[in-house]
C-alpha cells in the first residue's frame, strides 16, 4: 500500500512559504510513495488505458548481459506483481529511448509493447520490436518489426497510441536514409537525414498506412503522440538545413496528414542532437504541448496550448525556475489546466519539478517532486493521471539503480 511521504510534503510546504509570503499553496499537494516493483532497473514509462488503468513499464537489469521488459498495473494504489514481456542479450538499452506498453481501446486484456533490439554490429544499428499479448500480459506472441526497410540503421524513439477502431498507431525516428549517400550528412557520421515515420498495426501484426511524416528531423529526441477530435497529432524536434532544431507537429485533418509545422520559432541552432523531446496531450479540441529549448544558450521549459486540435497554438508560457535540464512531460488535468514536469539543475545535482499551467499562464510556484541526478542515467521522469490524481515515475540513481513512484493528490 502507498504511504505518505511526510518529508516531501514538509519540504514543499517550506518552499511554498519561502516563495509565497501568504503561503496559500502550502499543504495543497499531498505526496504518497507507492513501493516500487523494480528490483534493479530504469527507463520507466507510464500509460493510462481507456478504462483508466495505469501501467508502469521498465527495463529490469537481470545481469551484465541480459535485460528484460517488465510491467505492473496500479491496483488499489499499489503495483501488481510484475509480468515479463520479453528479455534479451542483444537489446539496445538507452537512458533516453525507453520501451513502452499500451492497451487496446476495445479490449483491456489486449496489450502491445515495444523495445529496441540490435540488428547488426554498428553502434546505432537496431530495430523496433513489438510484441502483443491477449491475456493481460501473461503470455506474449512473437515480436514483429513495424518498419520494413530491412536496413541496419537506427530505428527508435517510439510513441504508440491505441485507436478507436481496435488498432494501434506507432510513430518512430527512422534512420533508413542515413545509410543512403543521396542524402546530406548527419551528426552520427551517416550520409542522410533521420526521418519521422509511422504505421498502424492490428492484433495479427498486420501493418497499414505506412508513411513518412517528415523527411528531416532531429536524430535522437523523443516523439510524442495524442488523439484530438480531428485525429492524430505527433510532436517531435525538427531539424532545418541550417541546424535550427525547434519543436514541430504533424497532424491529421479529415483523415489526412497535413504538412509539418513549427509550434513556435525558438530558433535554437545546435549542431548536435540535444536528446530532449517534447510531450503532447489532448482531450477533445484541447492540446497541451511542453518542450525544452536553449536559444542563445538560455535553457527554457515551455508549454503552449491549442483549442482547435493543434491547428494553431497560443504563445508559449515559460515554466522552469531558471536553470532547467529539460526532460519534460505534460498531462491535462482538465480542458483548462495542465501539469508540466521537468528536471531542474540545482547546487546538489538536480530536482524533478512540476507546476500547473493554463492557457492564461503559469498557476503559482513550481513544486518539488523529488531530488534527482543531473546525469543521463537518471533518465526522463514520467507522469500519468489516475482517479483525479497524478502518478510520477522516475529512475533513481544510487548504489543500485531502481525506479521510484509517487502518487500526488492536488487539492
Amino acid at each position: 500500500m502507498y504511504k505518505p511521504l511526510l518529508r516531501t510534503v514538509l519540504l514543499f510546504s517550506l518552499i511554498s512559504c519561502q516563495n509565497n509570503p501568504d503561503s496559500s499553496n502550502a499543504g495543497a499537494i499531498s505526496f504518497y510513495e507507492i513501493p516500487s516493483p523494480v528490483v534493479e532497473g530504469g527507463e520507466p514509462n507510464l500509460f493510462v488505458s481507456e478504462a483508466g488503468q495505469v501501467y508502469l513499464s521498465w527495463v529490469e537489469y537481470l545481469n551484465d548481459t541480459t535485460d528484460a521488459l517488465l510491467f505492473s498495473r496500479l491496483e488499489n494504489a499499489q503495483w501488481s506483481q510484475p509480468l515479463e514481456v520479453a528479455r534479451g542479450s542483444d537489446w539496445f538499452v538507452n537512458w533516453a529511448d525507453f520501451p513502452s506498453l499500451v492497451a487496446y481501446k476495445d479490449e483491456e486484456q489486449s496489450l502491445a509493447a515495444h523495445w529496441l533490439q540490435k540488428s547488426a554490429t554498428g553502434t546505432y544499428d537496431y530495430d523496433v520490436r513489438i510484441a502483443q499479448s491477449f491475456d493481460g500480459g501473461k503470455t506474449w506472441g512473437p515480436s514483429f518489426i513495424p518498419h520494413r526497410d530491412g536496413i541496419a540503421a537506427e530505428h527508435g524513439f517510439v510513441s504508440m497510441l491505441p485507436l478507436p477502431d481496435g488498432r494501434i498507431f506507432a510513430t518512430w525516428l527512422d534512420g533508413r536514409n542515413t545509410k543512403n549517400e543521396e542524402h546530406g550528412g548527419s551528426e552520427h557520421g551517416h550520409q542522410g537525414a533521420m526521418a519521422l515515420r509511422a504505421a498502424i498495426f492490428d492484433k495479427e501484426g498486420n501493418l497499414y498506412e505506412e508513411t513518412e511524416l517528415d523527411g528531416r528531423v532531429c536524430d535522437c529526441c523523443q516523439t510524442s503522440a495524442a488523439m484530438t477530435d480531428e485525429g492524430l497529432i505527433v510532436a517531435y524536434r525538427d531539424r532545418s538545413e541550417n541546424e535550427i532544431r525547434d519543436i514541430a507537429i504533424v497532424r491529421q485533418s479529415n483523415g489526412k496528414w497535413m504538412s509539418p509545422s513549427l509550434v513556435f520559432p525558438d530558433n535554437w541552432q545546435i549542431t548536435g542532437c540535444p536528446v530532449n523531446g517534447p510531450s503532447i496531450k489532448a482531450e477533445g479540441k484541447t492540446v497541451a504541448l511542453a518542450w525544452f529549448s536553449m536559444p542563445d544558450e538560455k535553457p527554457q521549459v515551455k508549454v503552449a496550448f491549442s483549442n482547435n486540435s493543434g491547428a494553431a497554438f497560443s504563445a508559449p508560457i515559460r515554466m522552469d525556475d531558471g536553470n532547467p535540464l529539460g526532460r519534460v512531460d505534460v498531462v491535462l488535468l482538465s480542458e483548462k489546466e495542465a501539469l508540466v514536469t521537468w528536471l531542474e539543475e540545482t547546487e546538489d545535482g538536480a530536482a524533478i519539478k512540476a507546476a500547473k499551467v493554463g492557457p492564461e499562464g503559469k498557476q503559482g510556484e513550481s513544486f518539488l517532486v523529488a531530488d534527482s541526478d543531473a546525469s543521463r542515467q537518471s533518465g526522463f521522469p514520467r507522469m500519468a493521471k489516475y482517479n483525479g490524481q497524478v502518478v510520477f515515475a522516475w529512475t533513481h540513481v544510487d548504489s543500485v539503480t531502481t525506479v521510484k513512484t509517487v502518487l500526488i493528490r492536488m487539492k
Side-chain angles (χ1 to χ4, degrees), residues 263-264 291 303-307 312-317 358-359:
V263 176
F264 181 79
W291 72 94
V303 63
F305 288 87
S306 172
N307 59 11
F313 282 85
S314 62
I317 301 161

Side-chain angles (χ1 to χ4, degrees), residues 160-164 168-170 198-200 209 225-234 249-253 256-258 309:
M160 295 196 298
L161 194 67
L163 301 177
I168 291 176
F169 169 79
I200 292 171
E209 300 180 36
M227 178 66 75
T228 74
D229 278 356
E230 291 268 337
L232 290 159
I233 184 169
V234 178
I249 60 101
V250 58
R251 67 186 186 93
Q252 288 181 331
S253 181
K256 295 183 179 180
W257 287 105
M258 310 294 286
S309 302

Side-chain angles (χ1 to χ4, degrees), residues 124-125 151-154 175-181 190-192:
Y124 299 106
D125 294 341
I151 296 174
E154 297 175 64
R176 67 184 68 183
N177 294 334
T178 66
K179 299 296 182 74
N180 187 337
E181 294 184 358
H190 305 312
Q191 296 300 313

Side-chain angles (χ1 to χ4, degrees), residues 218-348:
C218 199
D219 289 65
C220 43
C221 285
Q222 295 85 8
T223 62
S224 186
M227 178 66 75
T228 74
D229 278 356
E230 291 268 337
L232 290 159
I233 184 169
V234 178
Y236 59 99
R237 191 175 296 279
D238 196 27
R239 180 188 175 199
S240 74
E241 293 289 344
N242 60 348
E243 302 295 5
I244 299 296
R245 303 189 187 228
D246 288 342
I247 300 303
I249 60 101
V250 58
R251 67 186 186 93
Q252 288 181 331
S253 181
N254 297 320
K256 295 183 179 180
W257 287 105
M258 310 294 286
S259 297
S261 60
L262 288 181
V263 176
F264 181 79
D266 289 319
N267 293 316
W268 185 12
Q269 188 174 42
I270 178 173
T271 56
C273 178
V275 196
N276 240 311
S279 178
I280 192 168
K281 294 294 189 299
E283 289 187 8
K285 295 183 180 298
T286 301
V287 182
L289 173 57
W291 72 94
F292 173 79
S293 189
M294 198 165 65
D296 301 320
E297 302 301 316
K298 298 176 181 178
Q300 302 169 16
V301 169
K302 299 179 178 180
V303 63
F305 288 87
S306 172
N307 59 11
N308 54 9
S309 302
F313 282 85
S314 62
I317 301 161
R318 187 167 176 178
M319 299 298 297
D320 62 87
D321 293 339
N323 200 21
L325 297 169
R327 310 188 198 182
V328 304
D329 201 5
V330 64
V331 295
L332 273 171
L333 302 175
S334 69
E335 289 189 354
K336 297 184 180 297
E337 187 177 58
L339 184 70
V340 178
T341 187
W342 68 94
L343 205 63
E344 186 88 17
E345 190 169 6
T346 66
E347 291 183 0
D348 298 324

